[in-house]
């Protein structure tokens, strides 16, 4: 649910699609990493996913995983 009601529509779409496709098969550690990411600001997440800013190292692997599921990647 927290992946769908973020604040900006773009992140709602990106994170809800990612969650639908991957949450079921994530390990407990991956779920913890995703939880950390969900605490970040939508505008920051969007800039990081678009490559407009460098993300914090601790969430970079999960962001890369999300990016890999986007169309065109």
């Amino acid at each position: 649910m927290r992946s769908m009601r973020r604040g900006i529509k773009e992140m709602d779409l990106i994170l809800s699609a990612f969650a639908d496709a991957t949450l079921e098969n994530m390990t407990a550690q991956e779920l913890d990493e995703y939880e950390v990411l969900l605490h970040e600001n939508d505008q920051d997440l969007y800039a990081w996913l678009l490559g407009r800013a460098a993300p914090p190292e601790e969430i970079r692997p999960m962001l890369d995983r999300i990016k890999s599921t986007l169309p065109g990647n």
Side-chain angles (χ1 to χ4, degrees):
M1 182 61 108
R2 291 183 51 214
S3 297
M4 294 176 12
R5 310 244 167 134
R6 298 288 308 166
I8 63 172
K9 189 65 171 176
E10 291 86 348
M11 289 311 303
D12 291 350
L13 295 170
I14 291 168
L15 293 180
S16 63
F18 176 75
D20 287 344
T22 62
L23 284 185
E24 187 175 295
N25 297 316
M26 281 188 178
T27 66
Q29 180 178 344
E30 290 170 329
L31 288 170
D32 288 344
E33 292 169 6
Y34 187 63
E35 178 72 23
V36 169
L37 181 133
L38 290 176
H39 288 284
E40 297 292 339
N41 179 293
D42 270 4
Q43 287 78 14
D44 292 336
L45 284 172
Y46 195 58
W48 297 331
L49 285 170
L50 294 179
R52 294 181 179 163
E57 285 301 317
E58 63 271 10
I59 63 170
R60 183 182 302 270
M62 186 57 66
L63 282 172
D64 289 344
R65 188 169 175 185
I66 293 168
K67 274 193 230 182
S68 74
T69 65
L70 296 175
N73 286 318

